[in-house]
Amino acid sequence: MHVLALQVDMRFPSSHSLKEKRMLLKPIVDGIRTRFHASVSEVAHHDTWQRAEIGIALVSGEVAAVEQLADRVERFIWGAPDTEVLQIDRHWLDIDH
């Protein structure tokens, strides 16, 4: 089993309230869940109206499959309207058999 966590730091320059931020973030989070069948959650900057950090968990039996899925998820995020991607980090989870 191979597990990869993506840590994504984003900025929403057009947002002027938490409500606007959530309206911009929701399609990203929902899109990742439905398109890629991945677990995703907002993990930081909950009360900041122009920033969000999300965590995404990807799991597969093959390393190549996880990497390809991560590439697709990243492209999806980069294509989100009114969203500035500040940083994306990949963290592999080591699992002993």
Coordinates of all heavy atoms in Angstrom, one line a residue:
M1 N 0.8 -1.2 0.0 CA 0.0 0.0 0.0 C 0.9 1.2 0.0 O 1.9 1.3 0.8 CB -0.9 0.0 1.2 CG -1.7 1.2 1.4 SD -3.0 1.2 2.6 CE -2.1 0.8 4.1
H2 N 0.5 2.2 -0.8 CA 1.3 3.4 -1.0 C 0.4 4.6 -0.7 O -0.7 4.7 -1.3 CB 1.9 3.5 -2.3 CG 2.8 2.4 -2.6 ND1 4.1 2.2 -2.2 CD2 2.6 1.2 -3.3 CE1 4.6 1.1 -2.5 NE2 3.7 0.5 -3.3
V3 N 0.8 5.5 0.2 CA -0.1 6.6 0.6 C 0.7 7.9 0.4 O 1.8 8.0 0.9 CB -0.5 6.5 2.1 CG1 -1.4 7.6 2.5 CG2 -1.2 5.1 2.4
L4 N 0.0 8.9 -0.2 CA 0.6 10.2 -0.5 C -0.3 11.2 0.1 O -1.5 11.2 -0.3 CB 0.9 10.4 -2.0 CG 1.5 11.7 -2.4 CD1 2.8 12.0 -1.8 CD2 1.5 11.8 -3.9
A5 N 0.2 12.1 0.9 CA -0.6 13.3 1.3 C -0.1 14.5 0.6 O 1.1 14.8 0.5 CB -0.4 13.5 2.8
L6 N -1.0 15.3 0.0 CA -0.7 16.5 -0.6 C -1.2 17.6 0.4 O -2.3 17.6 0.9 CB -1.5 16.7 -1.9 CG -1.2 15.8 -3.0 CD1 -2.2 16.0 -4.2 CD2 0.2 15.9 -3.5
Q7 N -0.3 18.6 0.6 CA -0.5 19.7 1.4 C -0.6 21.0 0.5 O 0.5 21.3 -0.1 CB 0.5 19.9 2.5 CG 0.4 21.0 3.4 CD 1.5 21.0 4.5 OE1 2.4 20.1 4.4 NE2 1.5 21.9 5.4
V8 N -1.7 21.6 0.3 CA -1.9 22.7 -0.6 C -2.2 24.0 0.1 O -3.2 24.1 0.7 CB -3.0 22.3 -1.7 CG1 -3.1 23.4 -2.7 CG2 -2.8 20.9 -2.3
D9 N -1.4 25.0 -0.1 CA -1.6 26.3 0.4 C -2.1 27.2 -0.7 O -1.4 27.3 -1.8 CB -0.3 26.8 1.0 CG -0.4 28.0 1.9 OD1 -1.6 28.5 2.1 OD2 0.6 28.6 2.3
M10 N -3.2 27.8 -0.5 CA -3.8 28.6 -1.6 C -4.2 30.0 -1.0 O -4.4 30.2 0.2 CB -5.1 28.0 -2.0 CG -4.9 26.6 -2.7 SD -6.5 25.8 -3.1 CE -7.0 25.3 -1.5
R11 N -4.3 30.9 -2.0 CA -4.8 32.3 -1.7 C -5.9 32.6 -2.7 O -5.9 32.2 -3.8 CB -3.6 33.2 -1.9 CG -3.9 34.7 -1.5 CD -2.6 35.5 -1.6 NE -3.0 36.9 -1.4 CZ -3.3 37.7 -2.4 NH1 -3.3 37.3 -3.6 NH2 -3.6 39.0 -2.1
F12 N -6.9 33.4 -2.1 CA -8.0 33.8 -2.9 C -8.1 35.3 -3.0 O -8.7 36.0 -2.1 CB -9.3 33.2 -2.4 CG -9.4 31.8 -2.3 CD1 -9.2 31.1 -1.0 CD2 -9.5 31.0 -3.4 CE1 -9.2 29.7 -0.9 CE2 -9.5 29.6 -3.3 CZ -9.3 29.0 -2.1
P13 N -7.3 36.0 -3.9 CA -7.2 37.4 -3.9 C -8.5 38.2 -4.0 O -8.6 39.3 -3.5 CB -6.3 37.7 -5.1 CG -6.0 36.4 -5.7 CD -6.6 35.3 -5.0
S14 N -9.5 37.6 -4.7 CA -10.8 38.3 -4.9 C -11.7 38.2 -3.7 O -12.8 38.8 -3.7 CB -11.5 37.8 -6.2 OG -11.8 36.4 -6.0
S15 N -11.4 37.3 -2.7 CA -12.3 37.1 -1.6 C -12.2 38.3 -0.6 O -11.1 38.8 -0.3 CB -11.9 35.8 -0.9 OG -12.7 35.7 0.3
H16 N -13.4 38.7 -0.1 CA -13.5 39.8 0.9 C -14.2 39.4 2.1 O -14.5 40.2 3.0 CB -14.1 41.0 0.3 CG -13.3 41.6 -0.8 ND1 -13.4 41.1 -2.1 CD2 -12.4 42.6 -0.9 CE1 -12.6 41.8 -2.9 NE2 -12.0 42.7 -2.1
S17 N -14.5 38.0 2.3 CA -15.1 37.5 3.5 C -14.9 36.0 3.5 O -14.5 35.4 2.6 CB -16.6 37.8 3.4 OG -17.3 37.1 2.4
L18 N -15.2 35.5 4.7 CA -15.1 34.0 4.8 C -16.2 33.3 3.9 O -15.9 32.3 3.4 CB -15.4 33.6 6.3 CG -14.2 33.9 7.3 CD1 -14.7 33.6 8.7 CD2 -13.0 33.1 6.9
K19 N -17.3 33.9 3.8 CA -18.3 33.4 2.9 C -17.9 33.3 1.5 O -18.0 32.3 0.8 CB -19.6 34.2 3.0 CG -20.8 33.6 2.2 CD -22.0 34.4 2.5 CE -23.2 33.8 1.7 NZ -24.4 34.6 1.9
E20 N -17.2 34.3 1.0 CA -16.7 34.3 -0.4 C -15.6 33.3 -0.5 O -15.5 32.6 -1.5 CB -16.1 35.7 -0.7 CG -17.2 36.7 -1.0 CD -16.6 38.1 -1.4 OE1 -15.4 38.2 -1.8 OE2 -17.4 39.0 -1.4
K21 N -14.7 33.2 0.5 CA -13.6 32.2 0.5 C -14.2 30.8 0.4 O -13.8 30.0 -0.4 CB -12.7 32.3 1.7 CG -11.7 31.2 1.7 CD -10.9 31.2 3.0 CE -11.4 30.1 3.9 NZ -10.5 29.8 5.0
R22 N -15.2 30.5 1.2 CA -15.8 29.2 1.2 C -16.5 28.9 -0.2 O -16.5 27.7 -0.6 CB -16.8 29.0 2.3 CG -16.0 29.0 3.7 CD -16.9 28.6 4.9 NE -16.0 28.6 6.0 CZ -16.0 29.5 7.0 NH1 -16.9 30.5 6.9 NH2 -15.2 29.4 8.0
M23 N -17.1 29.9 -0.8 CA -17.7 29.7 -2.1 C -16.6 29.4 -3.2 O -16.9 28.6 -4.1 CB -18.5 31.0 -2.5 CG -19.8 31.1 -1.8 SD -20.8 32.6 -2.1 CE -20.2 33.2 -3.6
L24 N -15.4 29.9 -3.0 CA -14.3 29.6 -4.0 C -13.7 28.2 -3.6 O -13.3 27.5 -4.5 CB -13.3 30.7 -3.9 CG -13.7 32.0 -4.5 CD1 -12.7 33.1 -4.1 CD2 -13.9 32.0 -6.0
L25 N -13.6 27.9 -2.4 CA -13.0 26.7 -1.9 C -13.8 25.4 -2.2 O -13.3 24.4 -2.5 CB -12.6 26.8 -0.5 CG -11.8 25.6 0.1 CD1 -10.5 25.4 -0.6 CD2 -11.6 25.8 1.6
K26 N -15.1 25.6 -2.0 CA -16.1 24.4 -2.1 C -16.0 23.7 -3.4 O -15.9 22.4 -3.4 CB -17.5 24.9 -1.8 CG -18.5 23.7 -1.8 CD -19.8 24.2 -1.3 CE -20.9 23.2 -1.4 NZ -20.6 21.8 -0.9
P27 N -15.9 24.3 -4.6 CA -15.8 23.6 -5.8 C -14.5 22.8 -5.9 O -14.4 21.8 -6.6 CB -16.0 24.6 -6.9 CG -16.3 25.9 -6.3 CD -16.1 25.8 -4.8
I28 N -13.5 23.3 -5.3 CA -12.2 22.7 -5.4 C -12.2 21.4 -4.5 O -11.9 20.3 -5.0 CB -11.0 23.6 -4.9 CG1 -10.9 24.8 -5.8 CG2 -9.7 22.8 -4.7 CD1 -10.0 25.9 -5.2
V29 N -12.7 21.5 -3.3 CA -12.8 20.4 -2.4 C -13.8 19.3 -2.9 O -13.4 18.1 -3.0 CB -13.2 20.8 -1.0 CG1 -13.6 19.7 -0.1 CG2 -12.1 21.7 -0.3
D30 N -15.0 19.8 -3.3 CA -15.9 18.8 -3.9 C -15.5 18.2 -5.2 O -15.7 17.0 -5.4 CB -17.3 19.5 -4.1 CG -18.0 19.9 -2.8 OD1 -17.6 19.4 -1.8 OD2 -19.0 20.7 -2.9
G31 N -14.8 18.9 -6.0 CA -14.2 18.4 -7.3 C -13.2 17.3 -7.0 O -13.2 16.3 -7.7
I32 N -12.3 17.5 -6.0 CA -11.3 16.5 -5.7 C -12.0 15.3 -5.2 O -11.6 14.1 -5.6 CB -10.3 17.1 -4.7 CG1 -9.5 18.2 -5.4 CG2 -9.4 16.0 -4.2 CD1 -8.6 19.0 -4.4
R33 N -13.0 15.4 -4.3 CA -13.7 14.2 -3.8 C -14.4 13.4 -4.9 O -14.3 12.2 -4.9 CB -14.7 14.7 -2.8 CG -14.1 15.1 -1.5 CD -15.2 15.4 -0.4 NE -14.6 15.8 0.8 CZ -15.0 16.9 1.5 NH1 -16.0 17.6 1.1 NH2 -14.3 17.2 2.6
T34 N -15.1 14.1 -5.8 CA -15.9 13.4 -6.8 C -15.1 12.9 -8.0 O -15.3 11.8 -8.4 CB -17.1 14.3 -7.2 OG1 -16.6 15.5 -7.8 CG2 -18.1 14.5 -6.1
R35 N -14.2 13.8 -8.5 CA -13.5 13.4 -9.7 C -12.4 12.4 -9.4 O -12.1 11.5 -10.2 CB -12.8 14.6 -10.3 CG -13.7 15.5 -11.0 CD -12.9 16.6 -11.6 NE -13.7 17.4 -12.5 CZ -13.2 18.2 -13.4 NH1 -11.9 18.3 -13.6 NH2 -14.1 18.9 -14.2
F36 N -11.7 12.5 -8.2 CA -10.5 11.7 -8.0 C -10.7 10.7 -6.8 O -9.8 9.9 -6.5 CB -9.3 12.6 -7.7 CG -9.1 13.6 -8.8 CD1 -9.4 14.9 -8.6 CD2 -8.6 13.2 -10.0 CE1 -9.2 15.9 -9.6 CE2 -8.4 14.1 -11.0 CZ -8.7 15.5 -10.8
H37 N -11.9 10.7 -6.2 CA -12.2 9.8 -5.1 C -11.2 9.8 -4.0 O -10.7 8.8 -3.5 CB -12.4 8.4 -5.6 CG -13.4 8.3 -6.7 ND1 -14.8 8.4 -6.5 CD2 -13.3 8.1 -8.0 CE1 -15.4 8.3 -7.6 NE2 -14.5 8.1 -8.6
A38 N -10.8 11.1 -3.6 CA -9.7 11.3 -2.6 C -10.4 11.9 -1.4 O -11.4 12.6 -1.5 CB -8.7 12.2 -3.2
S39 N -9.7 11.7 -0.3 CA -10.1 12.4 1.0 C -9.5 13.7 1.0 O -8.3 13.9 0.7 CB -9.6 11.6 2.2 OG -10.3 10.3 2.2
V40 N -10.3 14.7 1.3 CA -9.7 16.1 1.3 C -10.4 16.9 2.4 O -11.6 16.7 2.7 CB -9.9 16.8 -0.1 CG1 -11.4 16.8 -0.4 CG2 -9.4 18.2 -0.1
S41 N -9.7 17.8 3.1 CA -10.2 18.6 4.1 C -9.4 19.9 4.2 O -8.2 19.9 4.0 CB -10.1 17.8 5.5 OG -10.6 18.6 6.5
E42 N -10.1 21.0 4.6 CA -9.4 22.2 5.0 C -8.7 22.0 6.3 O -9.3 21.6 7.3 CB -10.4 23.4 5.0 CG -9.7 24.7 5.3 CD -10.7 25.9 5.3 OE1 -11.9 25.7 5.2 OE2 -10.1 27.0 5.4
V43 N -7.4 22.2 6.3 CA -6.6 21.9 7.5 C -6.0 23.1 8.2 O -5.5 23.0 9.3 CB -5.5 20.9 7.2 CG1 -6.1 19.6 6.8 CG2 -4.6 21.4 6.2
A44 N -6.0 24.3 7.6 CA -5.5 25.5 8.2 C -6.1 26.7 7.6 O -6.7 26.7 6.6 CB -4.0 25.5 8.0
H45 N -5.9 27.9 8.3 CA -6.4 29.2 7.9 C -7.9 29.2 7.8 O -8.5 29.9 7.0 CB -5.8 29.6 6.5 CG -4.4 29.5 6.4 ND1 -3.5 30.3 7.1 CD2 -3.6 28.7 5.6 CE1 -2.3 30.0 6.8 NE2 -2.3 29.1 5.9
H46 N -8.6 28.5 8.7 CA -10.1 28.5 8.8 C -10.7 29.8 8.9 O -11.8 30.1 8.3 CB -10.5 27.6 9.9 CG -10.1 26.2 9.8 ND1 -10.6 25.3 8.9 CD2 -9.1 25.5 10.5 CE1 -10.0 24.1 9.0 NE2 -9.1 24.2 10.0
D47 N -10.1 30.7 9.6 CA -10.7 32.0 9.9 C -10.1 33.2 9.1 O -10.3 34.3 9.4 CB -10.7 32.4 11.4 CG -11.5 31.4 12.2 OD1 -12.5 30.9 11.7 OD2 -11.1 31.0 13.3
T48 N -9.3 32.8 8.1 CA -8.6 33.8 7.2 C -9.4 33.9 5.9 O -9.5 32.8 5.3 CB -7.2 33.5 7.0 OG1 -6.5 33.3 8.3 CG2 -6.4 34.5 6.2
W49 N -9.8 35.1 5.5 CA -10.7 35.1 4.3 C -10.1 35.1 3.0 O -10.7 35.0 2.0 CB -11.7 36.3 4.4 CG -11.1 37.6 4.8 CD1 -11.0 38.1 6.1 CD2 -10.6 38.6 4.0 NE1 -10.4 39.3 6.1 CE2 -10.1 39.7 4.8 CE3 -10.4 38.7 2.6 CZ2 -9.6 40.8 4.3 CZ3 -9.8 39.9 2.1 CH2 -9.4 40.9 3.0
Q50 N -8.7 35.1 2.9 CA -8.1 35.0 1.6 C -7.1 33.9 1.5 O -6.4 33.7 0.5 CB -7.3 36.3 1.3 CG -8.2 37.5 0.9 CD -7.4 38.6 0.3 OE1 -6.3 38.9 0.7 NE2 -8.0 39.3 -0.7
R51 N -7.0 33.0 2.6 CA -6.1 31.9 2.6 C -6.8 30.6 2.9 O -7.8 30.6 3.7 CB -5.0 32.1 3.6 CG -4.0 33.2 3.3 CD -2.9 32.8 2.3 NE -2.1 31.7 2.6 CZ -1.1 31.7 3.4 NH1 -0.7 32.9 4.0 NH2 -0.3 30.6 3.6
A52 N -6.3 29.5 2.4 CA -6.8 28.2 2.8 C -5.7 27.2 2.6 O -4.8 27.3 1.7 CB -8.0 27.8 1.9
E53 N -5.6 26.2 3.4 CA -4.7 25.1 3.3 C -5.6 23.8 3.3 O -6.4 23.7 4.3 CB -3.7 25.1 4.3 CG -2.6 24.0 4.1 CD -1.5 24.1 5.1 OE1 -0.9 25.2 5.3 OE2 -1.2 23.0 5.7
I54 N -5.4 23.0 2.3 CA -6.1 21.7 2.3 C -5.2 20.6 2.3 O -4.0 20.7 1.9 CB -7.1 21.6 1.1 CG1 -6.4 21.7 -0.2 CG2 -8.2 22.6 1.2 CD1 -7.2 21.4 -1.4
G55 N -5.6 19.5 2.9 CA -4.9 18.2 2.9 C -5.6 17.2 2.1 O -6.9 17.1 2.2
I56 N -4.9 16.4 1.3 CA -5.5 15.4 0.4 C -4.8 14.1 0.6 O -3.5 14.1 0.6 CB -5.4 15.9 -1.1 CG1 -6.0 17.3 -1.3 CG2 -6.0 14.9 -2.0 CD1 -5.6 18.0 -2.5
A57 N -5.5 13.0 0.8 CA -4.9 11.7 0.9 C -5.2 10.9 -0.3 O -6.3 10.7 -0.7 CB -5.4 11.0 2.2
L58 N -4.1 10.3 -0.9 CA -4.2 9.4 -2.0 C -3.6 8.1 -1.7 O -2.5 8.0 -1.2 CB -3.5 10.0 -3.2 CG -3.9 11.5 -3.6 CD1 -2.9 12.0 -4.6 CD2 -5.3 11.6 -4.1
V59 N -4.3 7.0 -2.1 CA -3.9 5.6 -1.7 C -4.0 4.7 -2.9 O -5.0 4.8 -3.7 CB -4.7 5.1 -0.6 CG1 -4.3 3.7 -0.2 CG2 -4.7 5.9 0.6
S60 N -3.0 3.9 -3.2 CA -3.1 2.9 -4.2 C -2.1 1.8 -3.9 O -1.2 1.9 -3.1 CB -2.7 3.5 -5.6 OG -2.7 2.6 -6.6
G61 N -2.2 0.7 -4.6 CA -1.3 -0.4 -4.5 C 0.0 -0.2 -5.3 O 1.0 -0.9 -5.1
E62 N 0.0 0.8 -6.2 CA 1.2 1.1 -7.0 C 1.6 2.5 -6.9 O 0.8 3.4 -6.9 CB 0.8 0.8 -8.5 CG 0.3 -0.6 -8.8 CD 1.4 -1.6 -8.7 OE1 2.6 -1.3 -8.9 OE2 1.1 -2.7 -8.3
V63 N 2.9 2.7 -6.7 CA 3.5 4.0 -6.6 C 3.2 4.9 -7.8 O 2.8 6.0 -7.7 CB 5.0 3.9 -6.4 CG1 5.7 5.3 -6.5 CG2 5.4 3.3 -5.1
A64 N 3.3 4.3 -9.0 CA 3.1 5.1 -10.2 C 1.6 5.6 -10.3 O 1.4 6.7 -10.7 CB 3.4 4.2 -11.4
A65 N 0.7 4.8 -9.8 CA -0.7 5.1 -9.9 C -1.0 6.3 -8.9 O -1.7 7.3 -9.3 CB -1.6 4.0 -9.5
V66 N -0.3 6.3 -7.7 CA -0.5 7.4 -6.8 C 0.1 8.7 -7.4 O -0.5 9.8 -7.3 CB 0.1 7.1 -5.4 CG1 0.1 8.3 -4.5 CG2 -0.6 5.9 -4.8
E67 N 1.3 8.6 -8.0 CA 2.0 9.8 -8.6 C 1.1 10.3 -9.7 O 1.0 11.6 -9.8 CB 3.4 9.4 -9.0 CG 4.3 9.2 -7.8 CD 5.7 8.7 -8.2 OE1 5.9 8.2 -9.4 OE2 6.6 8.9 -7.4
Q68 N 0.6 9.5 -10.6 CA -0.2 10.0 -11.7 C -1.5 10.7 -11.1 O -1.9 11.7 -11.6 CB -0.6 8.8 -12.6 CG 0.5 8.3 -13.4 CD 0.2 7.1 -14.2 OE1 -1.0 6.6 -14.1 NE2 1.1 6.6 -15.0
L69 N -2.1 10.1 -10.1 CA -3.3 10.7 -9.5 C -3.0 12.0 -8.9 O -3.7 13.0 -9.1 CB -3.9 9.8 -8.5 CG -5.2 10.2 -7.9 CD1 -6.3 10.5 -8.9 CD2 -5.7 9.2 -6.9
A70 N -1.8 12.1 -8.2 CA -1.4 13.4 -7.6 C -1.2 14.4 -8.7 O -1.6 15.6 -8.5 CB -0.1 13.2 -6.8
D71 N -0.6 14.1 -9.8 CA -0.3 15.0 -10.9 C -1.7 15.6 -11.4 O -1.8 16.8 -11.6 CB 0.4 14.4 -12.0 CG 1.9 14.0 -11.7 OD1 2.4 14.6 -10.7 OD2 2.5 13.2 -12.4
R72 N -2.7 14.7 -11.5 CA -4.0 15.1 -12.0 C -4.7 16.0 -11.0 O -5.3 17.0 -11.4 CB -4.9 13.9 -12.3 CG -4.3 13.1 -13.5 CD -5.1 11.8 -13.8 NE -6.5 11.9 -13.8 CZ -7.4 11.0 -13.3 NH1 -6.9 9.9 -12.8 NH2 -8.7 11.2 -13.3
V73 N -4.6 15.7 -9.7 CA -5.2 16.5 -8.7 C -4.5 17.9 -8.7 O -5.2 18.9 -8.6 CB -5.1 15.9 -7.3 CG1 -5.4 16.8 -6.2 CG2 -5.9 14.6 -7.2
E74 N -3.2 17.9 -8.8 CA -2.5 19.2 -8.8 C -2.9 20.1 -10.0 O -3.2 21.3 -9.9 CB -1.0 19.0 -8.8 CG -0.5 18.6 -7.5 CD 1.0 18.4 -7.4 OE1 1.7 19.0 -8.3 OE2 1.5 17.8 -6.5
R75 N -3.1 19.5 -11.2 CA -3.5 20.2 -12.4 C -4.9 20.8 -12.2 O -5.2 21.9 -12.6 CB -3.5 19.3 -13.6 CG -2.1 19.2 -14.2 CD -2.1 18.6 -15.6 NE -2.7 17.2 -15.7 CZ -2.0 16.1 -15.4 NH1 -0.7 16.2 -15.1 NH2 -2.5 14.9 -15.5
F76 N -5.8 20.0 -11.6 CA -7.1 20.4 -11.3 C -7.1 21.7 -10.4 O -7.8 22.7 -10.6 CB -7.9 19.3 -10.6 CG -9.3 19.7 -10.2 CD1 -10.3 19.8 -11.1 CD2 -9.6 19.9 -8.8 CE1 -11.6 20.1 -10.7 CE2 -10.8 20.3 -8.4 CZ -11.9 20.4 -9.3
I77 N -6.3 21.6 -9.3 CA -6.2 22.8 -8.4 C -5.6 24.0 -9.1 O -6.1 25.1 -8.9 CB -5.3 22.4 -7.2 CG1 -6.1 21.3 -6.4 CG2 -5.0 23.6 -6.3 CD1 -5.2 20.6 -5.3
W78 N -4.5 23.8 -9.9 CA -3.9 24.9 -10.6 C -4.9 25.6 -11.6 O -4.8 26.8 -11.8 CB -2.7 24.5 -11.4 CG -1.5 24.3 -10.5 CD1 -1.0 23.2 -10.0 CD2 -0.6 25.4 -10.0 NE1 0.2 23.5 -9.2 CE2 0.4 24.8 -9.2 CE3 -0.6 26.8 -10.2 CZ2 1.4 25.6 -8.6 CZ3 0.4 27.5 -9.6 CH2 1.4 26.9 -8.8
G79 N -5.9 24.8 -12.0 CA -6.9 25.4 -13.0 C -8.1 26.0 -12.3 O -9.0 26.5 -13.0
A80 N -8.2 26.0 -11.0 CA -9.3 26.6 -10.3 C -9.4 28.1 -10.5 O -8.3 28.8 -10.4 CB -9.3 26.3 -8.8
P81 N -10.5 28.7 -10.9 CA -10.6 30.1 -11.1 C -10.5 30.9 -9.8 O -10.8 30.4 -8.7 CB -12.0 30.3 -11.6 CG -12.8 29.1 -11.2 CD -11.8 28.0 -11.1
D82 N -9.9 32.1 -9.9 CA -9.8 33.0 -8.8 C -9.0 32.4 -7.6 O -9.2 32.7 -6.4 CB -11.1 33.5 -8.2 CG -11.9 34.2 -9.3 OD1 -11.3 35.0 -10.0 OD2 -13.2 34.0 -9.4
T83 N -8.1 31.5 -7.9 CA -7.3 30.8 -6.9 C -5.8 30.9 -7.3 O -5.4 30.7 -8.4 CB -7.6 29.3 -6.8 OG1 -9.0 29.2 -6.6 CG2 -6.9 28.6 -5.8
E84 N -5.0 31.3 -6.3 CA -3.6 31.4 -6.4 C -3.0 30.3 -5.6 O -3.2 30.2 -4.4 CB -3.1 32.8 -5.9 CG -2.0 33.5 -6.5 CD -1.8 34.8 -5.9 OE1 -2.4 35.8 -6.3 OE2 -0.9 34.9 -4.9
V85 N -2.3 29.4 -6.3 CA -1.6 28.3 -5.5 C -0.3 28.8 -5.0 O 0.6 29.2 -5.8 CB -1.4 27.0 -6.4 CG1 -0.7 26.0 -5.7 CG2 -2.8 26.6 -6.9
L86 N -0.1 28.8 -3.7 CA 1.2 29.3 -3.1 C 2.2 28.2 -3.0 O 3.4 28.4 -3.2 CB 0.9 29.9 -1.8 CG -0.1 31.1 -1.7 CD1 -0.4 31.5 -0.3 CD2 0.4 32.2 -2.6
Q87 N 1.7 27.0 -2.7 CA 2.7 25.9 -2.5 C 1.9 24.6 -2.4 O 0.8 24.5 -1.9 CB 3.4 26.1 -1.2 CG 4.5 25.1 -1.0 CD 5.4 25.5 0.2 OE1 5.5 26.7 0.6 NE2 6.1 24.5 0.7
I88 N 2.5 23.6 -3.0 CA 2.0 22.2 -2.9 C 3.2 21.3 -2.5 O 4.2 21.3 -3.2 CB 1.4 21.7 -4.2 CG1 0.2 22.5 -4.7 CG2 1.0 20.2 -4.1 CD1 -0.4 22.1 -6.0
D89 N 3.0 20.6 -1.4 CA 4.0 19.7 -0.9 C 3.4 18.3 -0.9 O 2.3 18.1 -0.6 CB 4.4 20.0 0.5 CG 5.1 21.4 0.6 OD1 6.0 21.6 -0.2 OD2 4.8 22.1 1.5
R90 N 4.3 17.3 -1.3 CA 4.0 15.9 -1.2 C 4.7 15.2 -0.1 O 5.9 15.4 0.1 CB 4.4 15.2 -2.5 CG 3.6 15.7 -3.7 CD 4.0 15.0 -5.0 NE 3.2 15.4 -6.1 CZ 3.1 14.7 -7.3 NH1 3.7 13.6 -7.4 NH2 2.3 15.2 -8.2
H91 N 3.9 14.5 0.7 CA 4.4 13.7 1.8 C 4.0 12.3 1.7 O 2.9 12.0 1.7 CB 3.9 14.3 3.1 CG 4.1 15.8 3.3 ND1 5.3 16.3 3.7 CD2 3.3 16.8 3.1 CE1 5.2 17.6 3.8 NE2 4.0 18.0 3.4
W92 N 5.0 11.4 1.6 CA 4.8 10.0 1.5 C 4.7 9.4 2.9 O 5.5 9.7 3.8 CB 5.9 9.3 0.7 CG 5.8 9.5 -0.7 CD1 6.5 10.4 -1.4 CD2 5.0 8.8 -1.7 NE1 6.2 10.4 -2.8 CE2 5.3 9.4 -2.9 CE3 4.1 7.8 -1.6 CZ2 4.6 8.9 -4.1 CZ3 3.5 7.3 -2.7 CH2 3.7 7.9 -4.0
L93 N 3.7 8.5 3.1 CA 3.6 7.8 4.4 C 4.3 6.5 4.3 O 3.9 5.7 3.4 CB 2.1 7.6 4.7 CG 1.8 6.9 6.0 CD1 2.3 7.6 7.2 CD2 0.3 6.6 6.1
D94 N 5.2 6.2 5.1 CA 5.9 4.9 5.1 C 5.1 3.9 5.9 O 4.8 4.2 7.1 CB 7.3 5.1 5.8 CG 8.3 5.9 4.9 OD1 8.1 5.8 3.6 OD2 9.1 6.6 5.5
I95 N 4.8 2.8 5.3 CA 4.1 1.8 6.0 C 4.9 0.5 5.9 O 5.4 0.0 4.9 CB 2.7 1.5 5.2 CG1 1.9 2.8 5.3 CG2 2.0 0.3 5.9 CD1 0.6 2.7 4.5
D96 N 5.2 0.0 7.1 CA 5.9 -1.3 7.2 C 4.9 -2.4 7.0 O 3.8 -2.5 7.5 CB 6.6 -1.4 8.6 CG 7.6 -0.4 8.8 OD1 8.3 0.0 7.9 OD2 7.8 0.1 10.0
H97 N 5.4 -3.4 6.3 CA 4.6 -4.6 6.0 C 4.7 -5.6 7.1 O 5.6 -5.9 7.7 CB 4.9 -5.2 4.6 CG 4.5 -4.3 3.5 ND1 5.4 -3.4 3.0 CD2 3.4 -4.1 2.9 CE1 4.8 -2.7 2.0 NE2 3.6 -3.1 1.9

